Amino acid sequence: MTLSVVPIGARLLRRLPRPRRIGQLAVHRLYIFIVTYLLLVVSYIIRRPLGVSKNALSQNCSHLVPPGGRHMLDNNTEWCSWKPFDHDSSTKFAWLDFTYRLSYSIAMFLAGYIAERMDQRLFLSSALMFSGSWLIFSGIAYFADIHSYVYFVIGQVGAGVSQSTAWPSVVTLMGNWFGEKGRGLVFGFWCTSSSVGNILGIFIAAAFVNFAWGYSFVIPGLIACAAAIFAYFFIIVDPESIGIPDVNLNPDVELNEVVPIDANASTANLCESAELELSEEIIVEKKVIHHEPVHDRKPITIWGAILIPGVVEYSICLFFCKAVYYAFFFWLPVYIKANLEVGNEMAADISAAFDGGGLLGGIIAGGASDLIGGSATVCGVMLVVAIPVIFILEALKHGQGTVIFLLFLIGLLQNGPYSLITTAVSADLGTRPSLVGEQRSLSTVTAVIDAIGSLGSAFGPLIVGLLGPYGWHVVFYYLIAAQICSALCLSRLIYREWCIWVRHWVNA
Protein backbone atom coordinates (compact mmCIF):
# COMPACT_ATOMS: atom_id res chain seq x y z
CA MET A 1 0.00 0.00 0.00
CA THR A 2 1.51 3.31 -1.04
CA LEU A 3 1.60 6.29 1.23
CA SER A 4 -1.02 8.09 -0.86
CA VAL A 5 -3.69 5.50 0.05
CA VAL A 6 -2.63 4.84 3.62
CA PRO A 7 -5.34 6.36 5.87
CA ILE A 8 -4.48 9.29 8.11
CA GLY A 9 -4.87 7.08 11.19
CA ALA A 10 -2.05 4.79 10.06
CA ARG A 11 0.24 7.72 9.33
CA LEU A 12 -0.41 9.24 12.75
CA LEU A 13 0.21 5.89 14.42
CA ARG A 14 3.62 5.66 12.79
CA ARG A 15 4.68 8.95 14.31
CA LEU A 16 3.63 8.12 17.87
CA PRO A 17 6.47 7.09 20.21
CA ARG A 18 6.28 3.56 21.61
CA PRO A 19 8.45 1.35 23.83
CA ARG A 20 10.80 -0.87 21.85
CA ARG A 21 9.47 -3.92 23.69
CA ILE A 22 6.02 -3.44 22.17
CA GLY A 23 5.73 -4.71 18.61
CA GLN A 24 4.02 -2.88 15.78
CA LEU A 25 1.35 -5.58 15.58
CA ALA A 26 0.38 -5.07 19.23
CA VAL A 27 0.15 -1.29 18.74
CA HIS A 28 -2.00 -1.65 15.65
CA ARG A 29 -4.23 -4.22 17.32
CA LEU A 30 -4.96 -1.84 20.19
CA TYR A 31 -5.60 0.94 17.71
CA ILE A 32 -8.05 -1.15 15.65
CA PHE A 33 -9.77 -2.36 18.81
CA ILE A 34 -10.42 1.21 19.97
CA VAL A 35 -11.48 2.56 16.55
CA THR A 36 -13.87 -0.29 15.74
CA TYR A 37 -15.21 -0.21 19.32
CA LEU A 38 -16.19 3.45 18.92
CA LEU A 39 -17.76 2.82 15.51
CA LEU A 40 -19.75 -0.12 16.84
CA VAL A 41 -21.00 2.04 19.74
CA VAL A 42 -22.35 4.49 17.18
CA SER A 43 -23.95 1.70 15.13
CA TYR A 44 -25.96 0.70 18.21
CA ILE A 45 -26.81 4.25 19.27
CA ILE A 46 -28.71 4.70 16.01
CA ARG A 47 -30.88 1.61 16.66
CA ARG A 48 -32.59 3.00 19.76
CA PRO A 49 -34.69 6.02 18.66
CA LEU A 50 -37.89 4.23 17.61
CA GLY A 51 -38.00 1.98 20.68
CA VAL A 52 -37.57 4.97 23.01
CA SER A 53 -39.97 7.19 21.05
CA LYS A 54 -42.90 4.76 21.08
CA ASN A 55 -44.25 6.14 24.35
CA ALA A 56 -44.20 9.67 22.88
CA LEU A 57 -45.71 8.71 19.55
CA SER A 58 -48.50 6.76 21.26
CA GLN A 59 -49.79 7.96 24.63
CA ASN A 60 -52.54 7.04 27.06
CA CYS A 61 -54.86 10.03 26.82
CA SER A 62 -57.60 8.80 29.18
CA HIS A 63 -56.61 11.33 31.85
CA LEU A 64 -56.78 14.26 29.40
CA VAL A 65 -59.77 16.28 28.21
CA PRO A 66 -60.24 16.38 24.40
CA PRO A 67 -59.85 19.86 22.86
CA GLY A 68 -63.08 21.84 22.75
CA GLY A 69 -64.63 19.51 25.30
CA ARG A 70 -65.60 17.06 22.54
CA HIS A 71 -66.53 13.52 23.55
CA MET A 72 -64.64 10.54 22.12
CA LEU A 73 -67.49 8.32 20.95
CA ASP A 74 -65.25 5.36 20.12
CA ASN A 75 -63.61 5.40 23.56
CA ASN A 76 -60.26 5.91 21.88
CA THR A 77 -57.69 6.49 24.64
CA GLU A 78 -54.93 7.36 22.14
CA TRP A 79 -56.52 10.44 20.58
CA CYS A 80 -53.72 12.76 21.76
CA SER A 81 -50.98 10.64 20.13
CA TRP A 82 -49.04 11.50 16.99
CA LYS A 83 -51.04 10.42 13.97
CA PRO A 84 -51.06 7.76 12.55
CA PHE A 85 -50.35 6.19 15.97
CA ASP A 86 -53.51 7.61 17.54
CA HIS A 87 -55.24 4.23 17.19
CA ASP A 88 -54.13 0.59 17.01
CA SER A 89 -50.61 1.73 17.86
CA SER A 90 -49.41 -1.63 19.20
CA THR A 91 -49.98 -3.37 15.87
CA LYS A 92 -48.52 -0.50 13.87
CA PHE A 93 -45.36 -0.42 15.95
CA ALA A 94 -45.07 -4.21 15.66
CA TRP A 95 -45.15 -3.95 11.86
CA LEU A 96 -42.63 -1.10 11.90
CA ASP A 97 -40.25 -3.20 14.00
CA PHE A 98 -40.82 -6.14 11.67
CA THR A 99 -40.19 -4.01 8.58
CA TYR A 100 -36.93 -2.72 10.03
CA ARG A 101 -35.59 -6.09 11.12
CA LEU A 102 -36.73 -7.94 7.98
CA SER A 103 -35.08 -5.41 5.68
CA TYR A 104 -32.00 -5.59 7.93
CA SER A 105 -31.76 -9.37 7.73
CA ILE A 106 -32.38 -9.62 3.97
CA ALA A 107 -29.89 -6.85 3.23
CA MET A 108 -27.34 -8.55 5.49
CA PHE A 109 -26.87 -11.41 3.01
CA LEU A 110 -26.04 -8.94 0.26
CA ALA A 111 -23.95 -6.79 2.61
CA GLY A 112 -21.57 -9.64 3.42
CA TYR A 113 -21.30 -10.60 -0.24
CA ILE A 114 -20.40 -7.01 -1.24
CA ALA A 115 -18.10 -6.42 1.73
CA GLU A 116 -16.01 -9.47 0.75
CA ARG A 117 -15.41 -7.85 -2.64
CA MET A 118 -15.01 -4.18 -1.70
CA ASP A 119 -12.58 -2.02 0.27
CA GLN A 120 -13.72 -2.32 3.90
CA ARG A 121 -12.84 1.26 4.76
CA LEU A 122 -15.02 2.74 2.04
CA PHE A 123 -17.75 0.17 2.69
CA LEU A 124 -17.99 0.93 6.42
CA SER A 125 -17.88 4.71 6.06
CA SER A 126 -20.61 4.58 3.40
CA ALA A 127 -22.73 2.36 5.64
CA LEU A 128 -22.56 4.81 8.55
CA MET A 129 -23.29 7.80 6.32
CA PHE A 130 -26.40 6.20 4.83
CA SER A 131 -27.51 5.00 8.28
CA GLY A 132 -27.33 8.51 9.68
CA SER A 133 -29.15 9.97 6.69
CA TRP A 134 -32.08 7.58 7.00
CA LEU A 135 -32.39 8.29 10.70
CA ILE A 136 -32.57 12.01 10.00
CA PHE A 137 -35.21 11.21 7.36
CA SER A 138 -37.43 9.64 10.05
CA GLY A 139 -36.89 12.55 12.44
CA ILE A 140 -37.97 15.08 9.82
CA ALA A 141 -41.54 13.77 10.24
CA TYR A 142 -41.76 15.69 13.52
CA PHE A 143 -40.51 19.01 12.17
CA ALA A 144 -42.40 18.76 8.86
CA ASP A 145 -45.60 17.60 10.61
CA ILE A 146 -45.77 14.39 8.56
CA HIS A 147 -48.41 11.88 9.66
CA SER A 148 -48.20 9.27 6.91
CA TYR A 149 -47.65 5.71 8.09
CA VAL A 150 -46.04 4.91 4.73
CA TYR A 151 -43.42 7.59 5.44
CA PHE A 152 -42.45 5.83 8.69
CA VAL A 153 -42.35 2.46 6.92
CA ILE A 154 -40.01 3.85 4.24
CA GLY A 155 -37.78 5.27 6.98
CA GLN A 156 -37.56 1.89 8.70
CA VAL A 157 -36.77 0.06 5.46
CA GLY A 158 -33.98 2.53 4.67
CA ALA A 159 -32.63 2.30 8.22
CA GLY A 160 -32.68 -1.51 8.16
CA VAL A 161 -30.89 -1.82 4.84
CA SER A 162 -28.22 0.78 5.64
CA GLN A 163 -27.55 -0.39 9.20
CA SER A 164 -27.13 -4.02 8.11
CA THR A 165 -23.95 -3.13 6.24
CA ALA A 166 -21.91 -2.04 9.26
CA TRP A 167 -21.82 -5.29 11.25
CA PRO A 168 -20.08 -7.69 8.81
CA SER A 169 -17.54 -4.97 8.09
CA VAL A 170 -16.45 -4.30 11.69
CA VAL A 171 -16.33 -8.02 12.55
CA THR A 172 -14.17 -8.60 9.47
CA LEU A 173 -11.81 -5.81 10.53
CA MET A 174 -11.41 -7.37 13.98
CA GLY A 175 -11.01 -10.84 12.50
CA ASN A 176 -8.29 -9.55 10.18
CA TRP A 177 -6.26 -8.23 13.10
CA PHE A 178 -6.87 -10.79 15.88
CA GLY A 179 -5.97 -14.46 15.43
CA GLU A 180 -7.78 -17.42 16.94
CA LYS A 181 -5.73 -17.46 20.16
CA GLY A 182 -7.63 -15.61 22.91
CA ARG A 183 -10.19 -14.40 20.40
CA GLY A 184 -13.19 -15.19 22.64
CA LEU A 185 -12.12 -12.89 25.46
CA VAL A 186 -11.00 -10.12 23.09
CA PHE A 187 -14.33 -10.21 21.30
CA GLY A 188 -16.11 -10.43 24.64
CA PHE A 189 -14.65 -7.11 25.75
CA TRP A 190 -15.15 -5.67 22.27
CA CYS A 191 -18.83 -6.67 22.28
CA THR A 192 -19.46 -4.51 25.33
CA SER A 193 -19.64 -1.76 22.72
CA SER A 194 -23.13 -2.95 21.79
CA SER A 195 -24.39 -2.50 25.35
CA VAL A 196 -22.57 0.82 25.71
CA GLY A 197 -24.14 1.96 22.45
CA ASN A 198 -27.59 0.80 23.53
CA ILE A 199 -27.32 2.60 26.87
CA LEU A 200 -26.03 5.81 25.30
CA GLY A 201 -28.71 5.51 22.61
CA ILE A 202 -31.41 5.26 25.27
CA PHE A 203 -30.17 8.33 27.14
CA ILE A 204 -29.65 10.40 23.99
CA ALA A 205 -33.09 9.57 22.61
CA ALA A 206 -34.79 9.89 26.03
CA ALA A 207 -33.32 13.37 26.53
CA PHE A 208 -35.57 14.73 23.75
CA VAL A 209 -38.52 12.34 23.70
CA ASN A 210 -40.82 14.31 26.01
CA PHE A 211 -40.66 17.69 24.26
CA ALA A 212 -39.49 17.06 20.66
CA TRP A 213 -39.18 13.41 19.67
CA GLY A 214 -37.80 14.35 16.25
CA TYR A 215 -34.46 15.18 17.88
CA SER A 216 -34.37 11.60 19.21
CA PHE A 217 -33.79 10.59 15.57
CA VAL A 218 -31.89 13.57 14.18
CA ILE A 219 -29.15 13.82 16.84
CA PRO A 220 -28.11 10.12 16.59
CA GLY A 221 -28.26 10.49 12.80
CA LEU A 222 -25.78 13.37 12.88
CA ILE A 223 -23.52 11.33 15.18
CA ALA A 224 -23.53 8.49 12.62
CA CYS A 225 -22.61 10.86 9.78
CA ALA A 226 -19.68 12.20 11.81
CA ALA A 227 -18.60 8.60 12.56
CA ALA A 228 -18.65 7.84 8.81
CA ILE A 229 -16.07 10.57 8.17
CA PHE A 230 -14.00 9.32 11.10
CA ALA A 231 -14.09 5.74 9.75
CA TYR A 232 -12.88 6.73 6.30
CA PHE A 233 -9.80 8.51 7.62
CA PHE A 234 -8.83 6.21 10.50
CA ILE A 235 -9.60 2.59 9.54
CA ILE A 236 -6.68 0.27 8.63
CA VAL A 237 -8.25 -2.70 6.88
CA ASP A 238 -5.79 -5.51 7.60
CA PRO A 239 -2.17 -6.15 8.67
CA GLU A 240 -0.99 -7.06 5.16
CA SER A 241 -1.97 -3.62 3.85
CA ILE A 242 0.85 -2.09 5.91
CA GLY A 243 3.35 -4.95 5.58
CA ILE A 244 2.47 -7.08 8.62
CA PRO A 245 1.90 -10.85 8.05
CA ASP A 246 -1.66 -12.21 8.12
CA VAL A 247 -2.38 -13.03 11.79
CA ASN A 248 -4.82 -15.82 10.89
CA LEU A 249 -2.33 -17.72 8.74
CA ASN A 250 0.67 -16.86 10.96
CA PRO A 251 -0.70 -16.62 14.51
CA ASP A 252 2.68 -16.81 16.21
CA VAL A 253 4.43 -14.09 14.23
CA GLU A 254 4.85 -10.71 15.90
CA LEU A 255 6.50 -7.80 14.20
CA ASN A 256 9.93 -7.07 15.69
CA GLU A 257 10.19 -10.79 16.52
CA VAL A 258 12.87 -12.94 14.89
CA VAL A 259 11.64 -16.48 14.24
CA PRO A 260 14.33 -18.98 13.23
CA ILE A 261 13.82 -20.67 9.88
CA ASP A 262 14.18 -24.43 9.74
CA ALA A 263 17.17 -25.17 7.49
CA ASN A 264 15.64 -28.46 6.40
CA ALA A 265 12.31 -26.96 5.38
CA SER A 266 11.47 -26.63 1.72
CA THR A 267 12.23 -23.14 0.51
CA ALA A 268 9.17 -23.31 -1.70
CA ASN A 269 7.02 -23.18 1.43
CA LEU A 270 8.83 -20.34 3.13
CA CYS A 271 8.78 -16.60 2.69
CA GLU A 272 12.20 -14.99 2.60
CA SER A 273 13.17 -12.30 5.06
CA ALA A 274 11.56 -9.01 4.08
CA GLU A 275 12.31 -5.39 4.76
CA LEU A 276 9.23 -3.68 6.20
CA GLU A 277 9.06 0.07 6.09
CA LEU A 278 6.65 1.60 8.62
CA SER A 279 8.09 4.62 10.38
CA GLU A 280 11.54 3.08 10.37
CA GLU A 281 13.41 0.30 8.56
CA ILE A 282 12.85 -2.97 10.35
CA ILE A 283 14.26 -6.27 9.13
CA VAL A 284 12.07 -9.19 10.11
CA GLU A 285 12.87 -12.82 9.49
CA LYS A 286 9.76 -14.93 9.66
CA LYS A 287 8.76 -18.49 9.09
CA VAL A 288 5.53 -18.35 7.12
CA ILE A 289 3.68 -21.09 5.36
CA HIS A 290 3.07 -19.95 1.79
CA HIS A 291 -0.46 -18.70 1.18
CA GLU A 292 -1.97 -16.40 -1.35
CA PRO A 293 -2.11 -12.76 -0.18
CA VAL A 294 -5.49 -12.14 1.43
CA HIS A 295 -6.53 -9.68 -1.29
CA ASP A 296 -5.82 -12.26 -4.02
CA ARG A 297 -7.89 -15.06 -2.53
CA LYS A 298 -11.20 -15.94 -4.15
CA PRO A 299 -14.25 -14.80 -2.12
CA ILE A 300 -16.50 -17.60 -0.89
CA THR A 301 -20.09 -17.86 -2.11
CA ILE A 302 -23.10 -17.53 0.21
CA TRP A 303 -23.95 -21.20 -0.30
CA GLY A 304 -20.36 -22.16 0.39
CA ALA A 305 -20.51 -20.26 3.69
CA ILE A 306 -23.74 -22.02 4.68
CA LEU A 307 -22.10 -25.43 4.09
CA ILE A 308 -19.26 -24.72 6.55
CA PRO A 309 -19.77 -27.12 9.53
CA GLY A 310 -21.48 -25.37 12.45
CA VAL A 311 -22.84 -22.39 10.50
CA VAL A 312 -26.40 -23.75 10.25
CA GLU A 313 -26.68 -24.72 13.93
CA TYR A 314 -25.35 -21.42 15.21
CA SER A 315 -27.49 -19.48 12.72
CA ILE A 316 -30.76 -21.12 13.81
CA CYS A 317 -29.79 -20.77 17.47
CA LEU A 318 -29.16 -17.07 16.86
CA PHE A 319 -32.58 -16.83 15.17
CA PHE A 320 -34.39 -17.71 18.41
CA CYS A 321 -31.85 -15.92 20.61
CA LYS A 322 -32.36 -12.67 18.69
CA ALA A 323 -36.14 -13.14 18.75
CA VAL A 324 -36.00 -12.95 22.54
CA TYR A 325 -33.28 -10.29 22.72
CA TYR A 326 -35.03 -7.86 20.39
CA ALA A 327 -38.41 -8.46 21.98
CA PHE A 328 -36.87 -6.96 25.12
CA PHE A 329 -34.91 -4.42 23.06
CA PHE A 330 -37.99 -2.91 21.38
CA TRP A 331 -40.70 -3.46 23.99
CA LEU A 332 -39.05 -3.07 27.40
CA PRO A 333 -39.91 0.66 27.82
CA VAL A 334 -43.56 -0.12 27.03
CA TYR A 335 -43.64 -3.10 29.42
CA ILE A 336 -41.98 -1.13 32.22
CA LYS A 337 -44.31 1.85 31.84
CA ALA A 338 -47.36 -0.40 31.95
CA ASN A 339 -46.26 -2.49 34.93
CA LEU A 340 -44.38 0.02 37.10
CA GLU A 341 -46.57 3.02 36.20
CA VAL A 342 -43.67 5.37 35.51
CA GLY A 343 -43.14 8.12 32.92
CA ASN A 344 -41.61 7.80 29.46
CA GLU A 345 -38.10 8.93 30.43
CA MET A 346 -38.00 6.79 33.59
CA ALA A 347 -39.20 3.72 31.67
CA ALA A 348 -36.41 4.22 29.13
CA ASP A 349 -33.82 4.66 31.90
CA ILE A 350 -34.91 1.51 33.75
CA SER A 351 -34.76 -0.51 30.52
CA ALA A 352 -31.05 0.35 30.32
CA ALA A 353 -30.47 -2.28 33.05
CA PHE A 354 -30.99 -4.94 30.37
CA ASP A 355 -28.12 -3.47 28.34
CA GLY A 356 -26.04 -3.05 31.49
CA GLY A 357 -26.22 -6.80 32.03
CA GLY A 358 -25.22 -7.30 28.42
CA LEU A 359 -21.95 -5.47 29.11
CA LEU A 360 -20.87 -8.24 31.46
CA GLY A 361 -22.51 -11.09 29.53
CA GLY A 362 -20.32 -10.79 26.45
CA ILE A 363 -17.12 -10.74 28.53
CA ILE A 364 -18.15 -13.76 30.62
CA ALA A 365 -19.18 -15.78 27.55
CA GLY A 366 -15.97 -14.94 25.66
CA GLY A 367 -13.71 -15.68 28.62
CA ALA A 368 -15.48 -18.95 29.42
CA SER A 369 -15.26 -20.03 25.77
CA ASP A 370 -11.48 -19.46 25.73
CA LEU A 371 -11.11 -21.22 29.09
CA ILE A 372 -12.99 -24.43 28.34
CA GLY A 373 -12.74 -24.40 24.54
CA GLY A 374 -16.46 -25.00 24.03
CA SER A 375 -18.49 -22.13 22.59
CA ALA A 376 -21.65 -24.21 22.13
CA THR A 377 -21.60 -25.40 25.76
CA VAL A 378 -21.15 -21.86 27.07
CA CYS A 379 -24.03 -20.57 24.94
CA GLY A 380 -26.30 -23.49 25.87
CA VAL A 381 -25.79 -23.09 29.62
CA MET A 382 -26.46 -19.35 29.56
CA LEU A 383 -29.59 -19.77 27.44
CA VAL A 384 -31.02 -22.43 29.76
CA VAL A 385 -30.27 -20.47 32.95
CA ALA A 386 -32.07 -17.43 31.52
CA ILE A 387 -35.38 -19.33 31.22
CA PRO A 388 -36.40 -19.31 34.93
CA VAL A 389 -35.27 -15.68 35.28
CA ILE A 390 -37.58 -14.61 32.44
CA PHE A 391 -40.41 -16.56 34.10
CA ILE A 392 -39.85 -14.89 37.47
CA LEU A 393 -39.88 -11.41 35.92
CA GLU A 394 -43.48 -11.79 34.77
CA ALA A 395 -44.86 -14.37 37.24
CA LEU A 396 -44.20 -12.30 40.36
CA LYS A 397 -44.92 -8.67 41.15
CA HIS A 398 -41.80 -6.63 41.83
CA GLY A 399 -40.70 -3.14 42.80
CA GLN A 400 -38.33 -1.05 40.71
CA GLY A 401 -35.18 -2.41 42.36
CA THR A 402 -36.08 -6.06 41.77
CA VAL A 403 -37.10 -5.38 38.16
CA ILE A 404 -33.78 -3.64 37.50
CA PHE A 405 -31.86 -6.61 38.97
CA LEU A 406 -33.84 -9.18 36.95
CA LEU A 407 -33.42 -7.18 33.73
CA PHE A 408 -29.68 -6.93 34.40
CA LEU A 409 -29.50 -10.71 34.86
CA ILE A 410 -31.55 -11.44 31.74
CA GLY A 411 -29.39 -9.04 29.73
CA LEU A 412 -26.25 -10.80 30.96
CA LEU A 413 -27.52 -14.29 30.12
CA GLN A 414 -29.07 -13.30 26.79
CA ASN A 415 -26.34 -11.06 25.41
CA GLY A 416 -23.57 -13.55 26.26
CA PRO A 417 -24.54 -16.16 23.64
CA TYR A 418 -25.67 -13.43 21.22
CA SER A 419 -22.29 -11.69 21.37
CA LEU A 420 -20.25 -14.90 21.26
CA ILE A 421 -22.03 -16.30 18.19
CA THR A 422 -22.00 -13.08 16.17
CA THR A 423 -18.32 -12.33 16.83
CA ALA A 424 -15.85 -14.96 18.04
CA VAL A 425 -17.75 -17.97 16.66
CA SER A 426 -18.34 -16.25 13.29
CA ALA A 427 -14.70 -15.14 13.08
CA ASP A 428 -13.48 -18.63 13.98
CA LEU A 429 -15.66 -20.34 11.36
CA GLY A 430 -14.79 -17.72 8.75
CA THR A 431 -10.99 -17.73 9.15
CA ARG A 432 -10.06 -21.29 10.06
CA PRO A 433 -7.97 -22.57 7.10
CA SER A 434 -9.11 -26.17 7.64
CA LEU A 435 -12.70 -25.07 6.97
CA VAL A 436 -12.41 -22.37 4.31
CA GLY A 437 -9.08 -23.18 2.63
CA GLU A 438 -7.73 -20.40 0.45
CA GLN A 439 -10.98 -18.43 0.25
CA ARG A 440 -11.90 -15.02 1.68
CA SER A 441 -14.93 -15.85 3.78
CA LEU A 442 -15.04 -13.84 7.02
CA SER A 443 -17.49 -11.15 5.88
CA THR A 444 -19.77 -13.68 4.18
CA VAL A 445 -19.84 -16.14 7.11
CA THR A 446 -20.49 -13.30 9.56
CA ALA A 447 -23.27 -11.96 7.34
CA VAL A 448 -24.93 -15.37 6.85
CA ILE A 449 -25.03 -16.15 10.58
CA ASP A 450 -26.24 -12.67 11.53
CA ALA A 451 -28.72 -12.48 8.63
CA ILE A 452 -30.47 -15.72 9.59
CA GLY A 453 -30.37 -14.62 13.21
CA SER A 454 -31.79 -11.24 12.29
CA LEU A 455 -34.85 -12.91 10.80
CA GLY A 456 -35.59 -13.88 14.39
CA SER A 457 -35.18 -10.27 15.46
CA ALA A 458 -37.77 -9.37 12.79
CA PHE A 459 -40.40 -11.91 13.81
CA GLY A 460 -39.74 -11.73 17.58
CA PRO A 461 -40.91 -8.14 18.21
CA LEU A 462 -43.74 -8.59 15.64
CA ILE A 463 -45.13 -11.55 17.56
CA VAL A 464 -44.87 -9.56 20.81
CA GLY A 465 -46.93 -6.77 19.27
CA LEU A 466 -49.54 -9.20 17.98
CA LEU A 467 -49.75 -11.02 21.33
CA GLY A 468 -49.82 -7.78 23.32
CA PRO A 469 -53.64 -7.46 23.40
CA TYR A 470 -53.84 -10.87 25.11
CA GLY A 471 -51.68 -9.76 28.04
CA TRP A 472 -48.02 -9.69 28.97
CA HIS A 473 -48.17 -13.19 30.48
CA VAL A 474 -48.85 -14.61 27.00
CA VAL A 475 -45.90 -12.66 25.63
CA PHE A 476 -43.59 -14.12 28.26
CA TYR A 477 -44.74 -17.69 27.55
CA TYR A 478 -43.76 -17.08 23.93
CA LEU A 479 -40.34 -15.73 24.99
CA ILE A 480 -39.69 -18.81 27.14
CA ALA A 481 -40.65 -21.13 24.27
CA ALA A 482 -38.26 -19.31 21.91
CA GLN A 483 -35.51 -19.55 24.52
CA ILE A 484 -35.95 -23.31 24.80
CA CYS A 485 -35.74 -23.69 21.00
CA SER A 486 -32.57 -21.60 20.97
CA ALA A 487 -30.83 -23.91 23.43
CA LEU A 488 -32.02 -27.09 21.66
CA CYS A 489 -30.45 -25.92 18.38
CA LEU A 490 -26.99 -26.34 19.91
CA SER A 491 -27.58 -29.85 21.29
CA ARG A 492 -25.56 -31.62 18.55
CA LEU A 493 -22.61 -29.22 18.89
CA ILE A 494 -22.70 -29.48 22.69
CA TYR A 495 -22.72 -33.29 22.46
CA ARG A 496 -19.71 -33.17 20.09
CA GLU A 497 -17.79 -30.87 22.47
CA TRP A 498 -18.46 -33.18 25.42
CA CYS A 499 -17.36 -36.23 23.42
CA ILE A 500 -14.07 -34.51 22.63
CA TRP A 501 -13.55 -33.61 26.30
CA VAL A 502 -14.36 -37.16 27.47
CA ARG A 503 -11.88 -38.67 24.98
CA HIS A 504 -9.28 -36.18 26.12
CA TRP A 505 -9.81 -37.05 29.79
CA VAL A 506 -9.73 -40.79 29.07
CA ASN A 507 -6.49 -40.51 27.09
CA ALA A 508 -4.85 -38.12 29.57
Side-chain angles (χ1 to χ4, degrees):
M1 179 179 286
T2 61
L3 187 62
S4 61
V5 295
V6 173
I8 292 176
R11 300 184 208 178
L12 292 176
L13 205 58
R14 293 176 181 182
R15 294 184 173 90
L16 293 177
R18 63 177 176 85
R20 287 285 180 178
R21 292 169 299 183
I22 302 178
Q24 284 281 3
L25 179 58
V27 172
H28 282 80
R29 277 177 168 173
L30 178 60
Y31 171 81
I32 289 297
F33 184 96
I34 294 173
V35 170
T36 54
Y37 189 98
L38 294 175
L39 295 175
L40 197 57
V41 166
V42 173
S43 74
Y44 276 88
I45 286 176
I46 59 180
R47 301 183 188 190
R48 297 304 292 186
L50 180 61
V52 173
S53 300
K54 285 177 180 176
N55 286 330
L57 292 168
S58 176
Q59 303 185 45
N60 185 350
C61 316
S62 58
H63 62 289
L64 301 176
V65 177
R70 60 190 178 91
H71 180 64
M72 306 305 295
L73 296 177
D74 59 353
N75 294 320
N76 181 14
T77 60
E78 298 178 301
W79 59 266
C80 63
S81 303
W82 184 273
K83 294 181 180 181
F85 304 105
D86 55 341
H87 63 279
D88 201 20
S89 61
S90 177
T91 301
K92 289 180 177 177
F93 283 135
W95 282 109
L96 278 183
D97 292 337
F98 176 77
T99 299
Y100 167 76
R101 297 307 305 179
L102 184 63
S103 59
Y104 179 97
S105 59
I106 293 175
M108 179 69 76
F109 284 104
L110 186 60
Y113 184 85
I114 296 174
E116 208 77 74
R117 294 157 175 80
M118 182 177 173
D119 178 72
Q120 294 287 347
R121 184 162 60 106
L122 179 60
F123 185 80
L124 180 55
S125 58
S126 300
L128 290 169
M129 185 63 71
F130 281 116
S131 298
S133 300
W134 278 108
L135 211 57
I136 294 172
F137 174 86
S138 296
I140 288 175
Y142 174 82
F143 303 101
D145 201 28
I146 297 174
H147 297 274
S148 169
Y149 186 66
V150 174
Y151 183 90
F152 285 94
V153 170
I154 293 174
Q156 290 303 100
V157 171
V161 171
S162 58
Q163 291 176 24
S164 70
T165 54
W167 180 254
S169 183
V170 291
V171 174
T172 298
L173 289 170
M174 284 290 290
N176 288 343
W177 282 94
F178 290 87
E180 184 178 351
K181 184 178 180 181
R183 179 180 275 165
L185 187 59
V186 170
F187 273 104
F189 278 101
W190 184 70
C191 265
T192 61
S193 57
S194 62
S195 295
V196 171
N198 285 333
I199 293 171
L200 289 177
I202 288 173
F203 289 138
I204 292 172
F208 306 101
V209 72
N210 282 328
F211 70 90
W213 60 262
Y215 286 114
S216 297
F217 289 84
V218 172
I219 299 301
L222 293 174
I223 293 174
C225 291
I229 299 172
F230 174 80
Y232 184 78
F233 288 108
F234 288 90
I235 282 293
I236 307 173
V237 175
D238 54 52
E240 289 181 315
S241 64
I242 56 173
I244 300 176
D246 188 335
V247 297
N248 291 301
L249 299 180
N250 313 285
D252 297 323
V253 173
E254 284 279 347
L255 205 62
N256 292 349
E257 177 185 8
V258 178
V259 182
I261 298 178
D262 185 356
N264 298 320
S266 171
T267 56
N269 294 326
L270 297 174
C271 293
E272 296 181 356
S273 299
E275 181 173 346
L276 303 178
E277 223 173 304
L278 294 167
S279 58
E280 56 196 0
E281 292 186 351
I282 305 172
I283 305 296
V284 182
E285 289 183 343
K286 49 190 179 290
K287 180 181 178 180
V288 180
I289 299 174
H290 178 71
H291 290 272
E292 286 186 80
V294 65
H295 300 292
D296 296 334
R297 296 178 212 145
K298 181 181 178 182
I300 198 171
T301 63
I302 294 176
W303 182 245
I306 293 174
L307 293 179
I308 293 175
V311 167
V312 172
E313 288 95 331
Y314 280 115
S315 298
I316 299 176
C317 170
L318 190 62
F319 175 93
F320 290 105
C321 184
K322 276 198 168 189
V324 177
Y325 180 90
Y326 277 94
F328 282 104
F329 184 91
F330 284 114
W331 287 98
L332 259 184
V334 179
Y335 170 78
I336 293 169
K337 183 178 180 180
N339 285 270
L340 295 183
E341 299 180 351
V342 296
N344 296 338
E345 187 172 354
M346 178 59 70
D349 292 345
I350 293 175
S351 70
F354 178 76
D355 298 300
L359 276 169
L360 192 58
I363 297 174
I364 292 176
S369 175
D370 285 341
L371 182 65
I372 69 174
S375 298
T377 301
V378 172
C379 292
V381 169
M382 297 184 80
L383 291 169
V384 170
V385 174
I387 293 173
V389 184
I390 294 174
F391 176 79
I392 292 172
L393 177 63
E394 173 58 19
L396 305 176
K397 298 300 179 183
H398 311 287
Q400 282 190 23
T402 305
V403 169
I404 290 173
F405 172 75
L406 290 174
L407 290 178
F408 181 89
L409 196 56
I410 293 172
L412 184 153
L413 295 169
Q414 199 67 27
N415 194 55
Y418 176 7
S419 299
L420 188 61
I421 293 173
T422 54
T423 56
V425 169
S426 297
D428 183 36
L429 295 175
T431 59
R432 192 180 297 174
S434 61
L435 296 179
V436 302
E438 290 289 346
Q439 300 180 93
R440 292 206 315 271
S441 58
L442 181 50
S443 291
T444 306
V445 170
T446 301
V448 166
I449 292 177
D450 200 42
I452 296 175
S454 293
L455 287 173
S457 69
F459 287 98
L462 173 64
I463 294 174
V464 170
L466 298 178
L467 294 178
Y470 299 98
W472 284 106
H473 63 287
V474 177
V475 171
F476 274 79
Y477 291 150
Y478 149 69
L479 296 177
I480 291 173
Q483 193 78 353
I484 293 172
C485 292
S486 182
L488 289 176
C489 289
L490 297 178
S491 56
R492 188 184 73 86
L493 296 177
I494 294 173
Y495 174 77
R496 187 176 66 182
E497 288 177 355
W498 279 86
C499 286
I500 293 174
W501 291 336
V502 169
R503 285 198 299 268
H504 177 73
W505 291 332
V506 169
N507 296 329

